PDB file of all heavy atoms in Angstrom:
ATOM      1  N   ASP F  18    -121.128  88.544  53.784  1.00 95.00           N
ATOM      2  CA  ASP F  18    -121.952  87.926  52.749  1.00 95.00           C
ATOM      3  C   ASP F  18    -123.201  87.285  53.339  1.00 95.00           C
ATOM      4  O   ASP F  18    -123.880  86.517  52.678  1.00 95.00           O
ATOM      5  CB  ASP F  18    -121.144  86.886  51.960  1.00 95.00           C
ATOM      6  CG  ASP F  18    -120.603  85.762  52.839  1.00 95.00           C
ATOM      7  OD1 ASP F  18    -120.852  85.785  54.071  1.00 95.00           O
ATOM      8  OD2 ASP F  18    -119.911  84.874  52.304  1.00 95.00           O
ATOM      9  N   ARG F  19    -123.508  87.626  54.600  1.00 95.00           N
ATOM     10  CA  ARG F  19    -124.700  87.058  55.232  1.00 95.00           C
ATOM     11  C   ARG F  19    -125.357  88.076  56.147  1.00 95.00           C
ATOM     12  O   ARG F  19    -124.690  88.933  56.730  1.00 95.00           O
ATOM     13  CB  ARG F  19    -124.346  85.786  56.005  1.00 95.00           C
ATOM     14  CG  ARG F  19    -123.389  85.977  57.163  1.00 95.00           C
ATOM     15  CD  ARG F  19    -122.732  84.673  57.533  1.00 95.00           C
ATOM     16  NE  ARG F  19    -121.907  84.194  56.436  1.00 95.00           N
ATOM     17  CZ  ARG F  19    -121.353  82.983  56.392  1.00 95.00           C
ATOM     18  NH1 ARG F  19    -121.556  82.139  57.367  1.00 95.00           N
ATOM     19  NH2 ARG F  19    -120.606  82.620  55.365  1.00 95.00           N
ATOM     20  N   VAL F  20    -126.679  87.954  56.249  1.00 96.00           N
ATOM     21  CA  VAL F  20    -127.441  88.853  57.115  1.00 96.00           C
ATOM     22  C   VAL F  20    -127.007  88.669  58.564  1.00 96.00           C
ATOM     23  O   VAL F  20    -126.689  87.556  59.000  1.00 96.00           O
ATOM     24  CB  VAL F  20    -128.947  88.571  56.955  1.00 96.00           C
ATOM     25  CG1 VAL F  20    -129.759  89.391  57.939  1.00 96.00           C
ATOM     26  CG2 VAL F  20    -129.390  88.892  55.537  1.00 96.00           C
ATOM     27  N   PHE F  21    -126.981  89.771  59.308  1.00 96.00           N
ATOM     28  CA  PHE F  21    -126.633  89.829  60.728  1.00 96.00           C
ATOM     29  C   PHE F  21    -125.141  89.662  60.976  1.00 96.00           C
ATOM     30  O   PHE F  21    -124.721  89.422  62.108  1.00 96.00           O
ATOM     31  CB  PHE F  21    -127.434  88.814  61.569  1.00 96.00           C
ATOM     32  CG  PHE F  21    -128.918  88.871  61.326  1.00 96.00           C
ATOM     33  CD1 PHE F  21    -129.659  87.711  61.199  1.00 96.00           C
ATOM     34  CD2 PHE F  21    -129.576  90.093  61.227  1.00 96.00           C
ATOM     35  CE1 PHE F  21    -131.023  87.756  60.977  1.00 96.00           C
ATOM     36  CE2 PHE F  21    -130.944  90.151  61.006  1.00 96.00           C
ATOM     37  CZ  PHE F  21    -131.668  88.982  60.878  1.00 96.00           C
ATOM     38  N   GLY F  22    -124.354  89.805  59.936  1.00 96.00           N
ATOM     39  CA  GLY F  22    -122.908  89.905  60.093  1.00 96.00           C
ATOM     40  C   GLY F  22    -122.477  91.300  59.674  1.00 96.00           C
ATOM     41  O   GLY F  22    -123.303  92.155  59.322  1.00 96.00           O
ATOM     42  N   GLY F  23    -121.194  91.562  59.705  1.00 96.00           N
ATOM     43  CA  GLY F  23    -120.667  92.829  59.218  1.00 96.00           C
ATOM     44  C   GLY F  23    -121.142  94.028  60.011  1.00 96.00           C
ATOM     45  O   GLY F  23    -121.559  93.930  61.168  1.00 96.00           O
ATOM     46  N   ASN F  24    -121.090  95.187  59.371  1.00 96.00           N
ATOM     47  CA  ASN F  24    -121.419  96.454  60.020  1.00 96.00           C
ATOM     48  C   ASN F  24    -122.730  96.988  59.467  1.00 96.00           C
ATOM     49  O   ASN F  24    -122.891  97.138  58.253  1.00 96.00           O
ATOM     50  CB  ASN F  24    -120.301  97.476  59.788  1.00 96.00           C
ATOM     51  CG  ASN F  24    -120.308  98.584  60.812  1.00 96.00           C
ATOM     52  OD1 ASN F  24    -121.233  98.713  61.601  1.00 96.00           O
ATOM     53  ND2 ASN F  24    -119.268  99.406  60.804  1.00 96.00           N
ATOM     54  N   GLN F  25    -123.656  97.292  60.357  1.00 97.00           N
ATOM     55  CA  GLN F  25    -124.970  97.783  59.945  1.00 97.00           C
ATOM     56  C   GLN F  25    -124.869  99.207  59.406  1.00 97.00           C
ATOM     57  O   GLN F  25    -124.086 100.021  59.880  1.00 97.00           O
ATOM     58  CB  GLN F  25    -125.922  97.758  61.135  1.00 97.00           C
ATOM     59  CG  GLN F  25    -126.157  96.377  61.715  1.00 97.00           C
ATOM     60  CD  GLN F  25    -126.670  96.466  63.140  1.00 97.00           C
ATOM     61  OE1 GLN F  25    -125.929  96.803  64.047  1.00 97.00           O
ATOM     62  NE2 GLN F  25    -127.949  96.169  63.326  1.00 97.00           N
ATOM     63  N   LEU F  26    -125.695  99.494  58.415  1.00 98.00           N
ATOM     64  CA  LEU F  26    -125.725 100.816  57.797  1.00 98.00           C
ATOM     65  C   LEU F  26    -127.160 101.149  57.406  1.00 98.00           C
ATOM     66  O   LEU F  26    -127.869 100.305  56.861  1.00 98.00           O
ATOM     67  CB  LEU F  26    -124.848 100.836  56.537  1.00 98.00           C
ATOM     68  CG  LEU F  26    -124.906 102.109  55.688  1.00 98.00           C
ATOM     69  CD1 LEU F  26    -124.234 103.271  56.412  1.00 98.00           C
ATOM     70  CD2 LEU F  26    -124.264 101.873  54.321  1.00 98.00           C
ATOM     71  N   ALA F  27    -127.565 102.372  57.682  1.00 98.00           N
ATOM     72  CA  ALA F  27    -128.828 102.894  57.161  1.00 98.00           C
ATOM     73  C   ALA F  27    -128.516 103.905  56.062  1.00 98.00           C
ATOM     74  O   ALA F  27    -127.603 104.724  56.204  1.00 98.00           O
ATOM     75  CB  ALA F  27    -129.640 103.558  58.265  1.00 98.00           C
ATOM     76  N   VAL F  28    -129.249 103.835  54.964  1.00 98.00           N
ATOM     77  CA  VAL F  28    -129.050 104.728  53.822  1.00 98.00           C
ATOM     78  C   VAL F  28    -130.380 105.391  53.482  1.00 98.00           C
ATOM     79  O   VAL F  28    -131.399 104.704  53.336  1.00 98.00           O
ATOM     80  CB  VAL F  28    -128.531 103.961  52.589  1.00 98.00           C
ATOM     81  CG1 VAL F  28    -128.361 104.902  51.399  1.00 98.00           C
ATOM     82  CG2 VAL F  28    -127.222 103.247  52.901  1.00 98.00           C
ATOM     83  N   LEU F  29    -130.363 106.707  53.364  1.00 98.00           N
ATOM     84  CA  LEU F  29    -131.514 107.439  52.824  1.00 98.00           C
ATOM     85  C   LEU F  29    -131.158 107.795  51.386  1.00 98.00           C
ATOM     86  O   LEU F  29    -130.347 108.693  51.141  1.00 98.00           O
ATOM     87  CB  LEU F  29    -131.806 108.689  53.652  1.00 98.00           C
ATOM     88  CG  LEU F  29    -132.696 108.463  54.898  1.00 98.00           C
ATOM     89  CD1 LEU F  29    -131.951 107.661  55.962  1.00 98.00           C
ATOM     90  CD2 LEU F  29    -133.184 109.781  55.453  1.00 98.00           C
ATOM     91  N   PRO F  30    -131.724 107.088  50.391  1.00 98.00           N
ATOM     92  CA  PRO F  30    -131.302 107.264  48.997  1.00 98.00           C
ATOM     93  C   PRO F  30    -131.585 108.650  48.435  1.00 98.00           C
ATOM     94  O   PRO F  30    -130.923 109.059  47.471  1.00 98.00           O
ATOM     95  CB  PRO F  30    -132.098 106.198  48.242  1.00 98.00           C
ATOM     96  CG  PRO F  30    -132.489 105.202  49.281  1.00 98.00           C
ATOM     97  CD  PRO F  30    -132.685 105.996  50.527  1.00 98.00           C
ATOM     98  N   ASP F  31    -132.539 109.366  48.992  1.00 98.00           N
ATOM     99  CA  ASP F  31    -132.846 110.731  48.550  1.00 98.00           C
ATOM    100  C   ASP F  31    -133.124 111.562  49.789  1.00 98.00           C
ATOM    101  O   ASP F  31    -134.224 111.543  50.336  1.00 98.00           O
ATOM    102  CB  ASP F  31    -134.042 110.743  47.608  1.00 98.00           C
ATOM    103  CG  ASP F  31    -134.320 112.139  47.041  1.00 98.00           C
ATOM    104  OD1 ASP F  31    -133.655 113.105  47.464  1.00 98.00           O
ATOM    105  OD2 ASP F  31    -135.210 112.248  46.181  1.00 98.00           O
ATOM    106  N   ALA F  32    -132.095 112.304  50.233  1.00 98.00           N
ATOM    107  CA  ALA F  32    -132.197 113.059  51.483  1.00 98.00           C
ATOM    108  C   ALA F  32    -132.422 114.543  51.256  1.00 98.00           C
ATOM    109  O   ALA F  32    -132.247 115.342  52.180  1.00 98.00           O
ATOM    110  CB  ALA F  32    -130.926 112.838  52.316  1.00 98.00           C
ATOM    111  N   ARG F  33    -132.820 114.911  50.046  1.00 98.00           N
ATOM    112  CA  ARG F  33    -133.052 116.328  49.770  1.00 98.00           C
ATOM    113  C   ARG F  33    -134.094 116.898  50.728  1.00 98.00           C
ATOM    114  O   ARG F  33    -135.119 116.277  50.977  1.00 98.00           O
ATOM    115  CB  ARG F  33    -133.494 116.509  48.319  1.00 98.00           C
ATOM    116  CG  ARG F  33    -132.364 116.339  47.309  1.00 98.00           C
ATOM    117  CD  ARG F  33    -132.862 116.431  45.881  1.00 98.00           C
ATOM    118  NE  ARG F  33    -133.706 115.287  45.530  1.00 98.00           N
ATOM    119  CZ  ARG F  33    -134.258 115.110  44.328  1.00 98.00           C
ATOM    120  NH1 ARG F  33    -134.042 116.008  43.366  1.00 98.00           N
ATOM    121  NH2 ARG F  33    -134.999 114.046  44.091  1.00 98.00           N
ATOM    122  N   GLY F  34    -133.809 118.094  51.262  1.00 97.00           N
ATOM    123  CA  GLY F  34    -134.710 118.742  52.201  1.00 97.00           C
ATOM    124  C   GLY F  34    -134.315 118.568  53.651  1.00 97.00           C
ATOM    125  O   GLY F  34    -134.869 119.254  54.529  1.00 97.00           O
ATOM    126  N   LEU F  35    -133.361 117.671  53.934  1.00 98.00           N
ATOM    127  CA  LEU F  35    -132.913 117.460  55.309  1.00 98.00           C
ATOM    128  C   LEU F  35    -131.730 118.367  55.617  1.00 98.00           C
ATOM    129  O   LEU F  35    -130.803 118.484  54.808  1.00 98.00           O
ATOM    130  CB  LEU F  35    -132.509 116.002  55.522  1.00 98.00           C
ATOM    131  CG  LEU F  35    -133.614 114.947  55.381  1.00 98.00           C
ATOM    132  CD1 LEU F  35    -133.045 113.561  55.550  1.00 98.00           C
ATOM    133  CD2 LEU F  35    -134.731 115.205  56.391  1.00 98.00           C
ATOM    134  N   ASP F  36    -131.749 118.994  56.785  1.00 98.00           N
ATOM    135  CA  ASP F  36    -130.603 119.793  57.213  1.00 98.00           C
ATOM    136  C   ASP F  36    -129.774 118.996  58.215  1.00 98.00           C
ATOM    137  O   ASP F  36    -130.155 117.890  58.639  1.00 98.00           O
ATOM    138  CB  ASP F  36    -131.037 121.137  57.789  1.00 98.00           C
ATOM    139  CG  ASP F  36    -131.955 121.000  59.010  1.00 98.00           C
ATOM    140  OD1 ASP F  36    -132.038 119.896  59.593  1.00 98.00           O
ATOM    141  OD2 ASP F  36    -132.589 122.002  59.378  1.00 98.00           O
ATOM    142  N   ALA F  37    -128.638 119.562  58.627  1.00 98.00           N
ATOM    143  CA  ALA F  37    -127.708 118.831  59.477  1.00 98.00           C
ATOM    144  C   ALA F  37    -128.321 118.423  60.816  1.00 98.00           C
ATOM    145  O   ALA F  37    -128.159 117.268  61.246  1.00 98.00           O
ATOM    146  CB  ALA F  37    -126.433 119.640  59.680  1.00 98.00           C
ATOM    147  N   PRO F  38    -129.035 119.318  61.533  1.00 98.00           N
ATOM    148  CA  PRO F  38    -129.611 118.875  62.800  1.00 98.00           C
ATOM    149  C   PRO F  38    -130.596 117.719  62.652  1.00 98.00           C
ATOM    150  O   PRO F  38    -130.630 116.808  63.490  1.00 98.00           O
ATOM    151  CB  PRO F  38    -130.310 120.134  63.329  1.00 98.00           C
ATOM    152  CG  PRO F  38    -129.569 121.267  62.704  1.00 98.00           C
ATOM    153  CD  PRO F  38    -129.205 120.779  61.337  1.00 98.00           C
ATOM    154  N   LEU F  39    -131.382 117.735  61.572  1.00 98.00           N
ATOM    155  CA  LEU F  39    -132.335 116.652  61.376  1.00 98.00           C
ATOM    156  C   LEU F  39    -131.616 115.354  60.996  1.00 98.00           C
ATOM    157  O   LEU F  39    -131.993 114.267  61.454  1.00 98.00           O
ATOM    158  CB  LEU F  39    -133.353 117.038  60.305  1.00 98.00           C
ATOM    159  CG  LEU F  39    -134.627 116.188  60.215  1.00 98.00           C
ATOM    160  CD1 LEU F  39    -135.252 115.965  61.588  1.00 98.00           C
ATOM    161  CD2 LEU F  39    -135.616 116.844  59.269  1.00 98.00           C
ATOM    162  N   MET F  40    -130.567 115.461  60.168  1.00 98.00           N
ATOM    163  CA  MET F  40    -129.789 114.263  59.850  1.00 98.00           C
ATOM    164  C   MET F  40    -129.148 113.681  61.098  1.00 98.00           C
ATOM    165  O   MET F  40    -129.108 112.458  61.282  1.00 98.00           O
ATOM    166  CB  MET F  40    -128.737 114.587  58.781  1.00 98.00           C
ATOM    167  CG  MET F  40    -129.319 114.766  57.390  1.00 98.00           C
ATOM    168  SD  MET F  40    -128.063 114.950  56.098  1.00 98.00           S
ATOM    169  CE  MET F  40    -127.709 116.710  56.236  1.00 98.00           C
ATOM    170  N   GLN F  41    -128.656 114.554  61.967  1.00 98.00           N
ATOM    171  CA  GLN F  41    -128.074 114.061  63.216  1.00 98.00           C
ATOM    172  C   GLN F  41    -129.116 113.357  64.076  1.00 98.00           C
ATOM    173  O   GLN F  41    -128.851 112.303  64.663  1.00 98.00           O
ATOM    174  CB  GLN F  41    -127.450 115.221  63.995  1.00 98.00           C
ATOM    175  CG  GLN F  41    -126.728 114.787  65.268  1.00 98.00           C
ATOM    176  CD  GLN F  41    -125.521 113.925  64.964  1.00 98.00           C
ATOM    177  OE1 GLN F  41    -124.484 114.417  64.559  1.00 98.00           O
ATOM    178  NE2 GLN F  41    -125.660 112.610  65.154  1.00 98.00           N
ATOM    179  N   ALA F  42    -130.316 113.919  64.137  1.00 98.00           N
ATOM    180  CA  ALA F  42    -131.384 113.292  64.912  1.00 98.00           C
ATOM    181  C   ALA F  42    -131.763 111.931  64.337  1.00 98.00           C
ATOM    182  O   ALA F  42    -132.029 110.977  65.084  1.00 98.00           O
ATOM    183  CB  ALA F  42    -132.604 114.210  64.961  1.00 98.00           C
ATOM    184  N   ILE F  43    -131.789 111.823  63.013  1.00 98.00           N
ATOM    185  CA  ILE F  43    -132.107 110.536  62.371  1.00 98.00           C
ATOM    186  C   ILE F  43    -131.022 109.515  62.675  1.00 98.00           C
ATOM    187  O   ILE F  43    -131.310 108.344  62.966  1.00 98.00           O
ATOM    188  CB  ILE F  43    -132.287 110.739  60.855  1.00 98.00           C
ATOM    189  CG1 ILE F  43    -133.551 111.562  60.581  1.00 98.00           C
ATOM    190  CG2 ILE F  43    -132.357 109.390  60.135  1.00 98.00           C
ATOM    191  CD1 ILE F  43    -133.669 112.039  59.149  1.00 98.00           C
ATOM    192  N   ALA F  44    -129.751 109.936  62.608  1.00 97.00           N
ATOM    193  CA  ALA F  44    -128.656 109.023  62.924  1.00 97.00           C
ATOM    194  C   ALA F  44    -128.754 108.526  64.362  1.00 97.00           C
ATOM    195  O   ALA F  44    -128.501 107.343  64.651  1.00 97.00           O
ATOM    196  CB  ALA F  44    -127.314 109.712  62.679  1.00 97.00           C
ATOM    197  N   ARG F  45    -129.132 109.418  65.281  1.00 96.00           N
ATOM    198  CA  ARG F  45    -129.312 108.978  66.667  1.00 96.00           C
ATOM    199  C   ARG F  45    -130.494 108.021  66.792  1.00 96.00           C
ATOM    200  O   ARG F  45    -130.477 107.090  67.595  1.00 96.00           O
ATOM    201  CB  ARG F  45    -129.517 110.187  67.579  1.00 96.00           C
ATOM    202  CG  ARG F  45    -128.235 110.955  67.883  1.00 96.00           C
ATOM    203  CD  ARG F  45    -128.420 111.887  69.071  1.00 96.00           C
ATOM    204  NE  ARG F  45    -129.427 112.904  68.817  1.00 96.00           N
ATOM    205  CZ  ARG F  45    -129.154 114.127  68.351  1.00 96.00           C
ATOM    206  NH1 ARG F  45    -127.898 114.467  68.072  1.00 96.00           N
ATOM    207  NH2 ARG F  45    -130.115 114.993  68.149  1.00 96.00           N
ATOM    208  N   GLU F  46    -131.535 108.252  65.999  1.00 97.00           N
ATOM    209  CA  GLU F  46    -132.704 107.370  66.042  1.00 97.00           C
ATOM    210  C   GLU F  46    -132.348 105.962  65.566  1.00 97.00           C
ATOM    211  O   GLU F  46    -132.728 104.971  66.195  1.00 97.00           O
ATOM    212  CB  GLU F  46    -133.830 107.951  65.184  1.00 97.00           C
ATOM    213  CG  GLU F  46    -135.109 107.131  65.177  1.00 97.00           C
ATOM    214  CD  GLU F  46    -135.879 107.218  66.489  1.00 97.00           C
ATOM    215  OE1 GLU F  46    -135.556 108.078  67.329  1.00 97.00           O
ATOM    216  OE2 GLU F  46    -136.807 106.406  66.664  1.00 97.00           O
TER     217      GLU F  46
END
């Protein structure tokens, strides 16, 4: 319930057009 706690997550709300290799590269980034 507070910033800088818990588990960090990045979300791309609209990922249309991305393929698996590019998604993997973004996750590594």
Side-chain angles (χ1 to χ4, degrees):
D18 60 0
R19 63 200 64 190
V20 174
F21 310 137
N24 201 351
Q25 299 159 288
L26 173 70
V28 179
L29 275 69
D31 185 354
R33 286 176 292 181
L35 296 177
D36 60 15
L39 195 47
M40 286 187 277
Q41 184 65 77
I43 292 169
R45 284 196 298 266
E46 181 72 12

